[in-house]
Amino acid sequence: MSSRPDPKVIETALLGGETVYTREQAIELAAADPELAGRIWRALGFPTQSDDTVIFTESDVEALRLATGLLDDGVLDEEAVVRFARAMGQTMARLADWQTSILSTLLFREGEGADGAGPLMNQVKELLPDVERLLLHIWRRQLAASTARTLAVMSNGGDGVPNYYPLIVGFADLVSFTTLSRELDEVELAEVVEGFEATAADIVASGGGRVVKTLGDEVLYVADDPVKAADIALRLASGVKTHVEVPDVRVGLSTGPVLTLHGDVFGTTVNRSSRLTSFARPGTVLIDEDLARSLEDTEGLQVVKVRARHAHGLGLIQPYTLRRNFEPGGLA
């Protein structure tokens, strides 16, 4: 007998109730402005539905009521409400896809496939309350850390723009990815990518940096201390290994003003770091001139000037190779 779960049952469990309202009914019950409700729904990342399609739950109505309340109470204006919705929608969509991928990979590894999804989904439903509490705690932790960083910048920068300030930006690129993609099947390649991302995230976090995003074969991170950023880069260059018998990672580091927006970073500093990564040989770290000056007298580190390179849109870049003056004793 098949143990495949009923999609409708799973949907009801995950949504916290059955879908019972059309769009018009949900808007009326929430006492929301129809135009604003539509903007919020699209900002969350969901397609527009016809007026007679029943897709909304009691929880959807309550969520819309809360969003409208923020506007009515003057806490946020309409644009801020939509921006908040977009931020949460995009973040939660990626989180949901990531978690679903983990569950499906677990089923595949256990050889159960879709027929084994029923028992696993039942366990997931039982764990939902604990997962929700954990999610809220992690969000509060991250919000506290982000707020502390912003306040520190504001206190140090006077009247400067809160989301535009100096950072050290690092790119770590998995050089052997093209070779791996030819040698491995899709599942094996996914395991390599996940291993790379996990190892890189551990190194960045333990070194006092922050992962901004991962792009499969590339990790972008930032740090506010040159020595910490350099140590992370060197550990990334030596600490990520695959079965391919070549150095696996190259890293570029650049320092300067960065625009932080929507959880991402932008600007010339970011572009320069990316170009330095493309110039670096496998297993090496290249840094820009300003960072080299700040690190040249740092004990245990060595910066060596190499040939200047032209980068489209950035002009002439003077790279420096970053090395250790001793053999590191591991990743700790």
Side-chain angles (χ1 to χ4, degrees), residues 60-319:
D60 288 320
V61 173
E62 178 61 20
L64 183 55
R65 188 180 292 121
L66 288 172
T68 302
L70 293 174
L71 182 62
D72 294 341
D73 295 340
V75 177
L76 300 173
D77 60 23
E78 182 171 327
E79 289 305 315
V81 169
V82 174
R83 288 175 66 191
F84 261 85
R86 183 174 296 111
M88 289 186 286
Q90 292 182 6
T91 301
M92 292 300 108
R94 186 167 186 263
L95 176 61
D97 284 345
W98 197 339
Q99 292 170 328
T100 302
S101 176
I102 292 172
L103 293 175
S104 60
T105 301
L106 179 61
L107 285 172
F108 182 88
R109 286 176 179 171
E110 294 179 355
E112 296 183 9
D115 286 339
L120 181 61
M121 290 308 301
N122 288 333
Q123 295 177 28
V124 170
K125 287 187 288 184
E126 293 176 1
L127 290 174
L128 273 179
D130 290 338
V131 173
E132 287 180 350
R133 286 194 290 270
L134 183 60
L135 180 63
L136 179 59
H137 172 73
I138 295 171
W139 171 68
R140 285 179 177 271
R141 267 284 182 181
Q142 292 288 3
L143 186 62
S146 177
T147 302
R149 287 194 299 268
T150 301
L151 291 175
V153 170
M154 293 174 69
S155 62
N156 293 332
D159 298 327
V161 180
N163 61 339
Y164 186 72
Y165 48 88
L167 280 175
I168 300 96
V169 180
F171 270 99
D173 178 41
L174 190 62
V175 182
S176 55
F177 188 76
T178 301
T179 302
L180 290 169
S181 64
R182 290 195 299 263
E183 294 183 355
L184 304 179
D185 62 30
E186 289 80 359
V187 175
E188 292 171 327
L189 186 62
E191 290 178 347
V192 169
V193 170
E194 186 171 358
F196 166 58
E197 291 184 351
T199 302
D202 286 346
I203 291 173
V204 172
S206 64
R210 177 172 60 89
V211 172
V212 175
K213 61 184 176 182
T214 57
L215 303 171
D217 61 335
E218 192 172 62
V219 170
L220 169 63
Y221 74 92
V222 295
D224 56 10
D225 179 88
V227 177
K228 289 182 179 179
D231 181 63
I232 290 170
L234 291 166
R235 291 168 68 192
L236 285 170
S238 63
V240 179
K241 300 294 179 184
T242 68
H243 77 284
V244 179
E245 294 181 358
V246 295
D248 296 303
V249 174
R250 58 185 177 180
V251 185
L253 276 181
S254 181
T255 184
V258 172
L259 175 65
T260 62
L261 188 65
H262 302 158
D264 207 341
V265 289
F266 305 90
T268 301
T269 303
V270 180
N271 296 338
R272 188 164 58 248
S273 176
S274 177
R275 293 302 176 89
L276 286 168
T277 306
S278 67
F279 295 154
R281 295 193 308 273
T284 68
V285 178
L286 284 185
I287 64 177
D288 68 2
E289 194 164 17
D290 287 343
L291 188 57
R293 279 197 293 266
S294 67
L295 293 173
E296 60 184 356
D297 295 324
T298 302
E299 184 179 357
L301 296 180
Q302 181 184 41
V303 292
V304 179
K305 188 175 182 178
V306 297
R307 179 172 62 89
R309 303 287 294 272
H310 181 80
H312 180 69
L314 297 174
L316 193 66
I317 295 180
Q318 177 57 66

